Amino acid sequence: MILALFGPPGSGKGTQAKYLIRSLGIPQLSTGDMLREAIKSGADVGKRAKDFMDRGALVPDDLMIALIGERTSQSDCQKGFLLDGFPRTVQQAEALDRLLTSRGLAMTAVLSFKVDRAELVARLSGRLVCSRCGASYHERAKPTKVEGVCDLCGGSVGKRPDDRPEVVESRLETFMTSTQPVEAYFRQQGRLLEVDALGSEEEVKQRVAAAINGGRAG
Ligand code: AP5
């Protein structure tokens, strides 16, 4: 099974990805997480990506396509994988199609998360992330039991640098101009499944499961 989660920043892709990988037994390939790891470890990819991420811009396609090409060739991806944050441009979507075709594979479905702008801003402005395991929290909607400490691993929890209000604006703008056209690309292929991503995590989780099981792409 090869799935992709598509949606604007803060639409809940990372949150739902964690549930999905547990139920489907496939790895989560979050390009955002991969880039943040590369920045932390001082890898070349991270050095090239940092300035783009700090500004809320997209990292160049060639770098992202190479990153996904390499990651999907690893052994844990043989039974499938869940893309989270990729593809984000039509060029990336086309490159992904070529890559999958060359391996005799095809995308199963792309789940497109729908959330209005006010809710996106509210979610991102209050988001807290564990620096060790990546678990996601929210200052008001989903606080940690102990302030600043991850419930799951005890790591320290804080804000992501690109969740500053001015960078959020820029990320939302980038989504509208560069990423939104990817939705039409997959709709044309009949692989798009729209999911109402407003409501509680549990409600969204049920809708995601229903979309995958129903599989009525449009
Ligand atoms: P990335 O890390 O992928 O960020 P993003 O797409 O902007 O998505 P987010 O992680 O911000 O949001 P999400 O949808 O995962 O929401 P989450 O579940 O965390 O990318 C970062 C940067 O890397 C990009 O800006 C770009 O520079 C670069 N990059 C990455 N991939 C790239 C690519 N392919 N090409 C080029 N550049 C690339 O939830 C958010 C908050 O909401 C949390 O607090 C959560 O607790 C809360 N929440 C979740 N669900 C609910 C709910 N149902 N109700 C209430 N609150 C909820």
Side-chain angles (χ1 to χ4, degrees):
M1 180 172 273
I2 300 173
L3 294 171
L5 300 186
F6 177 85
S11 54
K13 303 182 294 294
T15 302
Q16 294 299 326
K18 297 281 183 257
Y19 293 124
L20 273 174
I21 57 169
R22 235 175 287 152
S23 65
L24 299 174
I26 54 176
Q28 174 191 5
L29 273 48
S30 159
T31 41
D33 286 350
M34 289 182 212
L35 293 170
R36 281 183 288 277
E37 275 303 311
I39 292 173
K40 225 199 269 181
S41 70
D44 275 352
V45 172
K47 286 179 191 149
R48 280 186 64 193
K50 187 173 184 312
D51 175 56
F52 295 98
M53 295 175 78
D54 286 347
R55 288 188 280 119
L58 291 181
V59 174
D61 286 336
D62 60 335
L63 200 152
M64 300 311 302
I65 292 164
L67 197 67
I68 280 296
E70 198 279 321
R71 180 64 186 88
T72 53
S73 67
Q74 291 174 14
S75 58
D76 64 335
C77 291
Q78 273 180 2
K79 286 191 186 148
F81 45 85
L82 174 66
L83 293 164
D84 165 9
F86 186 96
R88 250 171 153 107
T89 62
V90 171
Q91 287 75 13
Q92 291 181 15
E94 288 169 346
L96 177 65
D97 272 345
R98 284 195 297 274
L99 180 91
L100 294 178
T101 305
S102 73
R103 295 178 186 172
L105 302 168
M107 183 72 89
T108 311
V110 176
L111 294 147
S112 175
F113 286 8
K114 301 291 177 188
V115 177
D116 62 68
R117 190 186 174 91
E119 174 71 7
L120 295 173
V121 172
R123 288 185 186 182
L124 292 172
S125 64
R127 172 165 53 185
L128 298 167
V129 181
C130 174
S131 61
R132 193 188 293 165
C133 73
S136 195
Y137 299 91
H138 191 277
E139 282 170 338
R140 292 171 300 282
K142 191 183 174 188
T144 52
K145 290 184 186 120
V146 178
E147 201 180 323
V149 181
C150 179
D151 294 352
L152 301 178
C153 76
S156 70
V157 165
K159 297 240 177 202
R160 242 170 67 173
D162 60 348
D163 281 345
R164 295 192 312 277
E166 65 278 19
V167 188
V168 165
E169 279 306 311
S170 158
R171 287 163 63 202
L172 291 172
E173 184 62 33
T174 302
F175 177 81
M176 289 313 296
T177 53
S178 305
T179 305
Q180 187 63 55
V182 173
E183 189 180 51
Y185 177 89
F186 285 115
R187 183 177 285 117
Q188 241 168 20
Q189 293 187 347
R191 298 193 195 281
L192 196 81
L193 299 168
E194 289 196 15
V195 176
D196 172 5
L198 275 172
S200 70
E201 280 183 28
E202 184 57 33
E203 285 167 332
V204 179
K205 185 178 149 190
Q206 302 294 339
R207 290 183 206 133
V208 167
I212 292 174
N213 293 330
R216 278 199 323 121

